[in-house]
DNA sequence: AATGAATGAGTGTTCATTCAT
DNA sequence: CATGAATGAACACTCATTCAT
C-alpha cells in the first residue's frame, strides 16, 4: 500500500511514522469507546477492540499497556463531561440558560455512551474512583463559589446551607440525563431548570432578574 | 434462636439439621455480602465466598444455583432499602421528619454496603435492571401522589412541575447518603431536609405549619 | 415404622435385617439398571440411582463400594445373556430351533437394555473387558465343539475352517438383535437362522434332517 | 513437505505461518487420536491432548471449538473406514479378492485405533449415531445391490433372503478385524473370506468361476 | 443401619498478555 | 513496528465419595 505513494516527487513518501501510529492509537480508542459503551468494560475483550480497530491483538499492547489504560485514556478526555457542568447564574433568564446547559450536558453524555461503564469501573478501580471524587469536589467547590457570589449580593435564600445547596444542584444536574432511562417520560429540561432555580433564587429575585434584563 | 431452647430440660444434643443448613446458607449470604461490598461482584469468586464462609466450594452450589442467585437473594431483602423512602409531608415539622428519614435510609445502606455493587450489576443484568426500574417508578409515583395531595391544598409552589419535582426529591433522597463519600464533609441531614422542603413548601407555608403544630 | 409391627404375637416382629437390607440392595440394582440403560453409565450419577431407589446417597455406598461395583453386580447376572447363546444343531428342524433361540436372545437383551452400556464400559474397564473376552472365548469354544460333533458325523461343510465358522456364527447371533436398530426393517429371525444354517449345513444335509425327523 | 522447498535457492528462513499452524492442528489431531484410542473419549481431557501435543491448553481451543469437534474432525476422515468395505463378486477368485479386502480393512482400522471410541460415542452423540447409521444403510444397500446382480445371473443361493444376506456379510466384514482381540488366534482372512463366499455362492458356482477365470 | 449435607479434586473453557516471526 | 498464534492462570460448576449425626 505505502509503495504506491512513493512515486510522487515532492510528496511525503509516506504518512509520517508518528502520524500513522497515532492513527492506530486513535482507532483503538474509538473502538474501545464504542465497544465499552455497547457491551460494558469486562464484557469487551482486548482482542475485540483490536479487531474492531482493524489491527492485530499485539498492536493493542503497543499503544496501551493494558485494557485498563485504554479506558483511562478514554476517560481522561471525558471525565469532566460526566460531571455536572457549572451553572452560571448571572443572566437575565437563568432558567433558560440552565436548561440549555442541562441539555448540552445530556447530549454529550448520550453521544459518548461511555458514562455507562463508569459504575462498573468505579467499583473496582480505586484510583479512578479517587480521580472522579477529586473532580466532583472541584465541581462542588465551583458551584459553591458561584452560589457564594450571589449570596453576597443577597440574591439567594438566606436560610439554606450553601454547601448542601451546591451538592443538591450538582446531583440534580448530574442525574438529569438519566431521568428518561430510569422511569418515565423524556425529561423536560426547562422544568428541571425551574426546580433548580427555585433552590437558588427566591421567586421575587427571579422576577427582578427578568425585569432587569429587559430594561 | 437455639439459646432460647436451652433453658428447657432435656436439651437438644445437637443443633437440628435444618437449622444447621440454614446457618451455612446464612454464612454464605453474609460472606457474599461482605465480599461483594468490598471487592465488587465480578471480582468475587464463588470459591472465595465459600472459603470466607468456611465451607467447601461444592457447598456453595448446594445452597445457590450460582453466584448470581446468591446476589439476588441478598438484593431481594434489600432492594427497597436502596431506593428513596417516601417522605410524608403532613407534620408540624416536615423538615425534621424528613431529616430522620434521610438518616435512617443512609444508615441502612451503609450498614449493608451492598448498594455498592448495584451499579456494576445493573449494567449487566437486564432482569434486575428492570426490577429496579419498576421499583423506582413505584417510588416516583408515590412521591408524586403525596405532592398532589398538598398541591390540592395549595400548600406547595404552583409554578413547579410536580412530576419533575417528585423526581428531584427522589434523586436527592436516594443520593443523600453518598454525599459523604463523594466529596466533603459528613452530610448534614437537617440541612438537606431543609433544601428538599424548600422545593416543596413556600417559606410562608412552612412557617404556618409550624405555628399550626404548636397551636 | 417397625414399632407398629411389634404388637402382633407370633409374627415376625419386623422384616429380618438381612431381608430389608437385601431389599434396598435390590432396589438400587434395579434403579441402576434402568438408569444406566436409559442414560448411559457416565451420565448416571450415584445420587440419581439412590434417589430413584428411594434411599439416601450414603446408603448407596453401604451396599456398593462405588458406581462401578454396582454395574459389575448387574453385569454379573447378565453377562452370559449378552453373548450369543449356544445353538444346538441336532433337531429335525435346526433352522426353526435357531430362529427361536435368536428371538429369545434378542428379547432378553432388549428387556434389560443393559447391553447398551457395554461398549461404553468396555473401553475403560480393562478388567471387565477381560471377563467379557473370557466369556466369548468360552462361547466360541462351545459353539466350536458343537460344530466338531456334526463335523465328525459328516453333516457339515468339509471345506470351511471350523474355528472361523464358529466365530462367524457367534458374531451373527450376537448381533442379530441389532439389525433393527442399525438400519432397516425389523429383523426376520427365520431368515437369519436360514443364513446361519447355510454356513453349517449343506442343503442336502438340511433336507435329510427334515426327512429323518418326519420319519 | 518443507524439505522439498529446501533445494531451491533462497530457503525460507522459517516454516511459513500457515504451515506451522497446520502442524499444531495436526499434532492435536494426532494426540487426540492416540489418547482417545488408548483411554477412551470421556477419559481424555482437552488439557491432556494439548499437553501430549506439546501446546498450551488455550491452543487447543484455537483449533477446535471443543473436544467433540476434534473427535468429529478425526472421524470425518475415517468414518468410511469403520464400515465394511464393499465386496466385489465378479472375479475369477472372489475368495482371494475378498480376503485381501478384509485384510486391508483390518489394517486400516488397527492403524488408527480410533474405532475403539466409536461405541462410547455413539451411545451419547445422537448426531454422530445418525451419521453412522446412514453410512451403514448405504453400505448395506450397496452390498445388497451387488448381491442382486449375481442373483439375477443365477449365481447365488436361491433360498436365502438377500437383505439378511447382505446384512450378515456386512456384519462379518465389519467385525472381522475384531476376531483377534475378542478371542483367539490371529484371524485367517482367507478362511473368513471362504465362509462369506459360502453364503454367497453355492460351491459349484465358485468352482465354475475359477474355471472360467482360467480359461 | 441410614441419612443427606459436605467435601474438594477435577472438568471444560475463556482471555489478558507475551513473543517469535 | 506489526502480527496473531501461543500461553496458562483462572473461573464457574459437577459429582464421586465421605462422615457427622
Amino acid at each position: 500500500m505505502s509503495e504506491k505513494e512513493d512515486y510522487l516527487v515532492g510528496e511525503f513518501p509516506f504518512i509520517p511514522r508518528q502520524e500513522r501510529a497515532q492513527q492506530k492509537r486513535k482507532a483503538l480508542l474509538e473502538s474501545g469507546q464504542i465497544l465499552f459503551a455497547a457491551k460494558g468494560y469486562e464484557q469487551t475483550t482486548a482482542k475485540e477492540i483490536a479487531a474492531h480497530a482493524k489491527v492485530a491483538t499485539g498492536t493493542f499492547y503497543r499503544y496501551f499497556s493494558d485494557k485498563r489504560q485504554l479506558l483511562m485514556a478514554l476517560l481522561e478526555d471525558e471525565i469532566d463531561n460526566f460531571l455536572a457542568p457549572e451553572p452560571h447564574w448571572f443572566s437575565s433568564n437563568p432558567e433558560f440558560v440552565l436548561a440549555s446547559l442541562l441539555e448540552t450536558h445530556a447530549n454529550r453524555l448520550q453521544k459518548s455512551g461511555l458514562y455507562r461503564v463508569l459504575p462498573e469501573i468505579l467499583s473496582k478501580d480505586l484510583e479512578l474512583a479517587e480521580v472522579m471524587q477529586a473532580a466532583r469536589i472541584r465541581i462542588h467547590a465551583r458551584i459553591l463559589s458561584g452560589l457564594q457570589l450571589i449570596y453576597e449580593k443577597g440574591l439567594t435564600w438566606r436560610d439554606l446551607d450553601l454547601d448542601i445547596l451546591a451538592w443538591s444542584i450538582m446531583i440534580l444536574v448530574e442525574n438529569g440525563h438519566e431521568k428518561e432511562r430510569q422511569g418515565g417520560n423524556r425529561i423536560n429540561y426547562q422544568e428541571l431548570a425551574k426546580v433548580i432555580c427555585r433552590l437558588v433564587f427566591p421567586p421575587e429575585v427571579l422576577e427582578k432578574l427578568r425585569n432587569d434584563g429587559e430594561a
Side-chain angles (χ1 to χ4, degrees), chain A:
Chain A
M1 302 175 184
S2 61
E3 308 91 277
K4 293 186 179 174
E5 296 158 358
D6 273 346
Y7 65 95
L8 281 179
V9 183
E11 297 245 339
F12 273 124
F14 47 81
I15 303 170
R17 287 267 156 118
Q18 254 189 338
E19 190 173 326
R20 266 198 308 164
Q22 288 316 306
Q23 275 178 8
K24 302 219 172 183
R25 201 185 123 92
K26 220 176 134 189
L28 282 164
L29 282 168
E30 267 171 33
S31 298
Q33 177 164 111
I34 292 165
L35 293 173
F36 285 157
K39 315 181 20 175
Y41 176 76
E42 285 288 356
Q43 280 64 43
T44 304
T45 72
K47 213 175 181 172
E48 280 173 326
I49 297 173
H52 188 274
K54 300 196 200 291
V55 298
T57 322
T59 305
F60 181 102
Y61 287 90
R62 175 162 296 282
Y63 292 102
F64 303 96
S65 64
D66 54 22
K67 211 169 63 158
R68 182 179 175 276
Q69 210 216 40
L70 184 143
L71 178 70
M72 290 308 163
L74 282 173
L75 292 179
E76 213 163 89
D77 301 339
E78 302 234 39
I79 198 156
D80 288 336
N81 293 346
F82 294 142
L83 297 173
E86 186 193 346
H88 292 275
W89 309 111
F90 293 111
S91 138
S92 61
N93 194 346
E95 286 176 351
F96 182 78
V97 171
L98 183 54
S100 48
L101 199 68
L102 289 172
E103 190 146 19
T104 309
H105 176 60
N107 288 342
R108 238 183 345 216
L109 283 191
Q110 297 295 348
K111 198 172 154 202
S112 103
L114 209 56
Y115 71 96
R116 281 169 223 258
V117 281
L118 261 192
E120 188 188 345
I121 310 306
L122 288 176
S123 71
K124 35 190 116 144
D125 197 308
L126 199 58
E127 201 190 318
L128 180 58
E130 280 166 8
V131 171
M132 285 291 294
Q133 173 140 340
R136 300 193 87 183
I137 291 177
R138 245 168 23 237
I139 285 285
H140 179 265
R142 259 188 270 153
I143 296 178
L144 181 60
S145 78
L147 289 176
Q148 276 160 346
L149 279 184
I150 54 180
Y151 182 85
E152 284 160 15
K153 302 210 174 182
L155 298 177
T156 188
W157 303 97
R158 308 215 69 87
D159 60 342
L160 296 183
D161 180 280
L162 289 190
D163 176 74
I164 300 282
L165 197 53
W167 178 85
S168 302
I169 293 166
M170 181 172 76
I171 291 295
L172 290 175
V173 174
E174 218 175 77
N175 287 277
H177 72 100
E178 283 279 332
K179 178 157 199 298
E180 181 192 6
R181 296 207 309 150
Q182 283 173 348
N185 343 350
R186 184 155 198 75
I187 192 158
N188 186 331
Y189 294 112
Q190 196 61 48
E191 293 295 334
L192 179 55
K194 224 146 104 186
V195 164
I196 292 173
C197 281
R198 171 59 31 88
L199 284 179
V200 177
F201 301 110
E204 62 276 10
V205 173
L206 216 53
E207 189 65 27
K208 189 166 174 293
L209 282 173
R210 276 197 200 102
N211 293 340
D212 289 1
E214 284 166 15

